[in-house]
């Protein structure tokens, strides 16, 4: 089978490719990535020489390019990780989120219709559900929870989800959607909470925590997420949504305190800053459907996962330094003409 993996030079897509190229040596994986600021060829360096892997530079919004790639490669499956995904950036500049996360999705699905695929899979987020109150721990997001978005980012992802379902109903396109909780793990771009706090703590810099820090997220190790996607793509039911959660709810403040303790740093480094606009209070996923239908279970609990993630960040300073300094862009330049 041949898989198109869009956004594969990013955090979750890159981890997916690391795992799947090893697990399925008989399958072929083509990574399509436009190498925006969060796309990093260094993330893919461990698999660049694998016989079942190929990298292609391109933009999912470019219809002519996407069609030519589909015509050439004859894909069986398409997994769309490609997305603008940082909430703060979406508040500052919503347009690029609408272009990539909605228009790009429509281009990919039109290509799937034109050239025929076994399944299109959309990687979505629990943020499309909005948020839950802190004083109701019994409430969880289910697949039929109404969409109630809070940011331009989550609105663009919800729009894409609705478009995917519409293509299934109107055109009969075989599709699945996964909505995950907050991911963490190796190769995460250091603008996100966990790698950002690890880096700042190691440098003895202030750790900025939005508002009171009580906002709660359900943390999912990226490898557990990737394995869930694999099960959905290969065994899920067409037209279905699957929630993927880690059963690991922690407040932002608890996450930061855990990182400081692991690194032997003092809580005095915490600095509460002005809260994010429209900041959701709590996310919590109910993954019963994927557990019952597909037999998926997360392998990581948060304590084990965060310890491993901190260790990875400490031991991979070259990768992180290249990202922070912009040096990884030089890596990309060699692929400009691909």
């Amino acid at each position: 089978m041949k898989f198109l993996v869009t956004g594969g030079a990013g955090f979750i897509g890159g981890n997916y490719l690391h795992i799947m190229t090893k697990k399925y040596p008989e399958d072929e994986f083509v990574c399509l990535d436009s190498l925006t600021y969060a796309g990093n060829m260094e993330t893919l360096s461990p698999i660049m020489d694998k016989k079942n892997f190929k990298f292609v530079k391109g933009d999912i919004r470019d219809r002519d390019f996407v069609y030519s790639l589909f015509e050439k490669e004859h894909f069986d499956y398409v997994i769309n990780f490609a997305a603008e995904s940082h909430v703060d950036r979406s508040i500052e500049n919503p347009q690029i989120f609408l272009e990539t996360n909605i228009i790009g999705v429509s281009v990919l699905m039109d290509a799937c219709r034109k050239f025929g695929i076994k399944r299109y899979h959309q990687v979505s987020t629990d943020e499309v559900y909005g948020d839950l109150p802190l004083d109701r721990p019994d409430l969880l997001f289910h697949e039929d929870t109404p969409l109630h978005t809070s940011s331009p980012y989550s609105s663009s992802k919800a729009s894409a989800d609705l478009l995917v379902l519409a293509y299934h109903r109107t055109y009969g396109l075989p599709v699945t959607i996964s909505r995950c909780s907050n991911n963490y793990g190796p190769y995460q771009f250091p603008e996100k909470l966990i790698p950002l706090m690890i880096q700042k703590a190691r440098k003895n810099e202030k750790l900025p925590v939005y508002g009171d820090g009580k906002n709660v997220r359900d943390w999912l190790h990226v490898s557990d997420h990737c394995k869930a996607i694999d099960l959905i793509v290969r065994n899920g039911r067409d037209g279905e949504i699957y929630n993927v959660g880690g059963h690991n709810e922690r407040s932002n403040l608890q996450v930061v305190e855990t990182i400081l303790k692991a690194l032997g740093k003092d809580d005095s480094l915490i600095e509460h800053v002005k809260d994010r606009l429209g900041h959701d209070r709590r996310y919590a996923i109910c993954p019963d459907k994927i557990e019952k239908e597909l037999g998926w279970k997360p392998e990581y609990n948060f304590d084990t996962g965060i310890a491993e993630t901190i260790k990875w960040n400490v031991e991979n300073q070259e990768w992180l330094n290249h990202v922070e300094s912009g040096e990884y862009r030089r890596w990309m330049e060699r692929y400009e003409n691909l």
Side-chain angles (χ1 to χ4, degrees), residues 92 142 147 295:
E92 294 173 3
H142 297 263
L147 305 185

Side-chain angles (χ1 to χ4, degrees), residues 33-133:
D33 201 294
S34 62
L35 299 179
T36 60
Y37 79 96
N40 188 350
M41 287 301 300
E42 285 193 74
T43 298
L44 298 175
S45 61
I47 62 172
M48 286 299 292
D49 293 331
K50 287 198 170 187
K51 292 181 179 180
N52 63 339
F53 175 76
K54 179 195 294 186
F55 177 81
V56 178
K57 184 176 184 295
D59 194 320
I60 62 171
R61 298 172 297 174
D62 185 338
R63 187 174 296 271
D64 289 341
F65 173 81
V66 169
Y67 280 17
S68 66
L69 182 64
F70 271 71
E71 186 173 26
K72 176 183 178 183
E73 296 290 349
H74 305 288
F75 299 114
D76 296 294
Y77 296 92
V78 175
I79 305 175
N80 182 36
F81 292 96
E84 295 287 342
S85 64
H86 195 258
V87 174
D88 289 345
R89 289 179 183 267
S90 80
I91 293 171
E92 294 173 3
N93 180 22
Q95 182 172 337
I96 185 63
F97 286 74
L98 308 183
E99 292 173 354
T100 299
N101 298 355
I102 303 174
I103 301 302
V105 168
S106 71
V107 170
L108 286 173
M109 289 194 297
D110 284 341
C112 290
R113 289 181 57 217
K114 181 177 176 65
F115 295 98
I117 49 94
K118 290 183 171 63
R119 174 163 291 164
Y120 170 88
H121 182 75
Q122 175 72 7
V123 180
S124 188
T125 170
D126 59 359
E127 294 189 43
V128 300
Y129 298 122
D131 63 355
L132 298 167

